[in-house]
Amino acid sequence: MSVADLSTANTAQDPSAPPPLAATRPVLSIAGLVKRFGAHTVLDGIDLQVERGETVCLLGPSGSGKSTLLRCINWLEVPDAGRVLLEGETIGVSTGGVVMGDGQLSRMRTRIGMVFQHFALWPHLTVLQNVMEAPVHVQRRSVDEVREEARALLERVGLSAKHDAFPAHLSGGQKQRVGIARALAMKPSLMLFDEPTSALDPELVGEVLTVMRDLARDGLTMVVVTHEMSFARDVADRVVFMDAGAIVETGAPEEFFGAPRTERARQFLLRYSNGAATPGETR
Amino acid sequence: MNGFAIVWSERALMLSGLANTVVLSLLGTLASLLLGALLTPVLVSRRRAPAFVALRFVDLMRCTPFLLLAYIVYYGLPSIGLRFDNWGAGLFALVLYNSAYMAEILRGAWMAQPREPIEAGLAFGYSGLRLFRRIVLPPLLLAAGPVIGNQTIQIIKDSAFLTIIALPELTHAASSIQSRRYIPFAAFIVAVFLYWGLCLLVEAAVAFGKRLAEARQ
């Protein structure tokens, strides 16, 4: 890992960012998380911890609740029960158990970067403006400083030539790399990737995974929902396998892919190795 | 003396009428757009009661003839203690009426927008008015530009009704000239061409907005 690398500014290694106490706590701690849509229980008591610098890949069949879990972490979906702690602080619920006001929830969300399946770039802004928008208008950082960082981030994801392009004129892979740069510009403590390559043409998947691989290597804390088994195998520190709203199995990728402990995980891996993957899955 | 020559001799009155129409339409459009934009989130809100009230308001305005509304504001409201001068009444009626249309236009554009960029706004720490102003509204304005332009033309034309509450706008000026000098054709045809000129300006603005939108498509 190069010390001069820009990523250090975006991760926990930045000595100025996290308070020393937080360094010993897990970045993310989920306990007893339940989410229902009507009568259907999508998440049925999830417990999960993610340590600083860790890359966790969430795997599982369609409808197993992976994306919903990810969206509960930053409260895009409001959980029905359980707690989500970011660096020891409960998200969404203030002390005393009342639901957080919008402002307080928003401030916590700025510490969690998110990359979306369908990119979700802001169509009225250029590439550079997309990256600068939230740091300037939400975090209220100086425009000049943010512009410098945004340029560096875009260079890092290989899009220096596209500053002034609008999202509509980019390929899917380029859009997703802007999406990643936009999230990194917030200097988040945690990055969530919601099937970041599922909406891409197969030949564009590689360029996005390469960027993500670099981020993982540089020690960014990442939770990645993906169907890219080889990415999970090579990059994840830990694999979490979900089925029917529960975590069925969790472990190092070599264990999970080499010798899955549960029958459901075996079946799942078998389907993928048979090429019955569903890369175009939507929520 | 030729009718058009008479209008020419009254050009100061005609131009001040035109200027008042421009001021009325401009203020009316900007205020309607602003209020309409603020009303839009209420229309699409999941909170039932405010959404219900907003929807009924929009419905009511869309089904009320503007002339009647202007009568009510100028002649009716004083009887319940709300008194405006003719400018105040005219602008109030114009804005009340057209903010309902603007809200409905923006609501329609909102329905056609993808949800994800707004979610991204939430995830990046936007909420409330800042979310609406920075993330939600700009694509709506770009998408709805031509329809907003149409509504602006409607506002310019509706402002002509305000002659009935003695607001000295363009139609009022033309009708005052024709009644004193008995030249209805020349006075009114000149007014029509002046309205047309204003609409051409609006269309130029819409074309500019269209270019902005197309660059982003």
Side-chain angles (χ1 to χ4, degrees):
Chain A
M1 187 195 320
S2 75
V3 183
D5 197 314
L6 188 84
S7 71
T8 51
N10 297 308
T11 65
Q13 294 148 1
D14 183 349
S16 65
L21 221 166
T24 59
R25 281 201 280 254
V27 173
L28 177 68
S29 177
I30 299 173
L33 198 73
V34 174
K35 177 65 186 175
R36 297 184 196 92
F37 289 125
H40 180 53
T41 301
V42 189
L43 295 176
D44 194 6
I46 300 286
D47 299 294
L48 179 67
Q49 299 218 328
V50 178
E51 303 297 329
R52 200 166 290 283
E54 204 180 14
T55 295
V56 172
C57 282
L58 294 181
L59 307 179
S62 304
S64 56
K66 312 177 298 286
S67 284
T68 306
L69 173 58
L70 207 67
R71 293 161 58 79
C72 280
I73 291 173
N74 60 2
W75 267 55
L76 283 182
E77 301 287 355
V78 177
D80 291 302
R83 294 216 299 171
V84 178
L85 279 78
L86 177 68
E87 298 170 310
E89 274 177 76
T90 309
I91 297 183
V93 184
S94 309
T95 42
V98 285
V99 171
M100 258 180 194
D102 279 354
Q104 208 183 349
L105 178 58
S106 294
R107 273 194 297 283
M108 289 202 75
R109 280 172 169 161
T110 60
R111 291 153 57 188
I112 307 173
M114 190 164 195
V115 174
F116 293 80
Q117 181 178 5
H118 297 285
F119 328 119
L121 298 179
W122 296 310
H124 56 293
L125 301 177
T126 64
V127 164
L128 187 65
Q129 287 167 340
N130 261 278
V131 178
M132 292 175 62
E133 172 64 34
V136 169
H137 293 279
V138 177
Q139 293 179 325
R140 299 277 177 209
R141 283 154 51 198
S142 106
V143 176
D144 292 334
E145 174 198 314
V146 170
R147 188 182 296 113
E148 281 311 300
E149 288 173 9
R151 285 180 197 282
L153 283 168
L154 285 172
E155 188 176 345
R156 179 158 196 230
V157 298
L159 288 172
S160 291
K162 295 286 182 185
H163 283 176
D164 298 323
F166 286 103
H169 299 155
L170 302 179
S171 73
Q174 291 171 330
K175 283 183 199 172
Q176 198 56 297
R177 286 183 281 146
V178 176
I180 293 171
R182 176 177 69 166
L184 290 174
M186 300 290 282
K187 304 187 178 183
S189 313
L190 170 69
M191 282 275 278
L192 308 176
F193 292 81
D194 187 8
E195 302 197 30
T197 58
S198 295
L200 298 180
D201 293 335
E203 74 270 21
L204 302 177
V205 169
E207 62 190 66
V208 172
L209 292 183
T210 304
V211 170
M212 290 172 60
R213 193 170 277 133
D214 287 347
L215 296 176
R217 194 185 306 128
D218 291 342
L220 191 67
T221 311
M222 298 163 50
V223 179
V224 185
V225 172
T226 186
H227 291 279
E228 295 294 330
M229 294 303 143
S230 59
F231 176 80
R233 186 199 297 259
D234 299 346
V235 178
D237 297 303
R238 191 149 52 95
V239 167
V240 171
F241 172 67
M242 289 180 68
D243 191 19
I247 292 177
V248 177
E249 192 169 330
T250 171
E254 50 273 25
E255 291 167 27
F256 178 77
F257 288 103
R261 291 190 300 275
T262 59
E263 182 55 27
R264 277 193 280 178
R266 263 193 293 278
Q267 291 296 329
F268 172 76
L269 289 172
L270 207 60
R271 276 208 306 281
Y272 268 87
S273 56
N274 288 345
T278 53
E281 184 203 8
T282 52
R283 269 195 305 278
Chain B
M1 206 174 179
N2 176 311
F4 291 101
I6 295 173
V7 174
W8 180 248
S9 72
E10 299 262 12
R11 61 188 176 278
L13 180 58
M14 216 56 179
L15 285 177
S16 98
L18 177 66
N20 285 340
T21 289
V22 169
V23 170
L24 258 181
S25 309
L26 209 60
L27 288 177
T29 301
L30 292 178
S32 309
L33 197 52
L34 185 69
L35 287 178
L38 291 175
L39 193 58
T40 310
V42 187
L43 284 177
V44 302
S45 167
R46 257 170 293 178
R47 269 175 284 187
R48 291 254 187 87
F52 180 85
V53 172
L55 281 166
R56 293 296 86 76
F57 165 72
V58 169
D59 259 2
L60 182 66
M61 285 302 120
R62 290 170 72 197
C63 298
T64 304
F66 179 68
L67 188 58
L68 263 185
L69 182 72
Y71 275 136
I72 290 169
V73 170
Y74 191 64
Y75 297 111
L77 290 186
S79 66
I80 58 164
L82 276 172
R83 204 170 295 277
F84 297 96
D85 62 6
N86 47 8
W87 270 95
L91 258 178
F92 181 73
L94 212 52
V95 170
L96 191 68
Y97 195 71
N98 286 287
S99 50
Y101 279 91
M102 292 296 190
E104 181 60 18
I105 289 167
L106 293 174
R107 188 193 66 82
W110 192 330
M111 294 293 106
Q113 295 289 319
R115 204 179 43 131
E116 274 202 325
I118 299 174
E119 277 202 332
L122 288 171
F124 279 73
Y126 288 86
S127 62
L129 199 59
R130 193 192 290 163
L131 175 72
F132 184 67
R133 196 169 49 84
R134 302 280 328 166
I135 305 296
V136 179
L137 188 58
L140 294 189
L141 291 178
L142 287 170
V147 194
I148 292 170
N150 261 344
Q151 195 59 34
T152 305
I153 289 173
Q154 201 61 49
I155 290 173
I156 292 173
K157 293 192 297 179
D158 278 350
S159 75
F161 280 120
L162 298 174
T163 183
I164 56 108
I165 60 170
L167 218 161
E169 43 69 60
L170 182 53
T171 300
H172 199 71
S175 101
S176 136
I177 293 170
Q178 83 82 22
S179 65
R180 282 183 287 108
R181 313 288 292 266
Y182 310 107
I183 45 155
F185 180 76
F188 289 141
I189 211 79
V190 168
V192 163
F193 276 94
L194 290 173
Y195 279 114
W196 188 32
L198 290 183
C199 292
L200 289 179
L201 290 179
V202 173
E203 276 163 23
V206 167
F208 175 73
K210 233 179 178 166
R211 278 204 300 281
L212 290 183
E214 272 161 10
R216 288 158 177 78
Q217 272 162 14

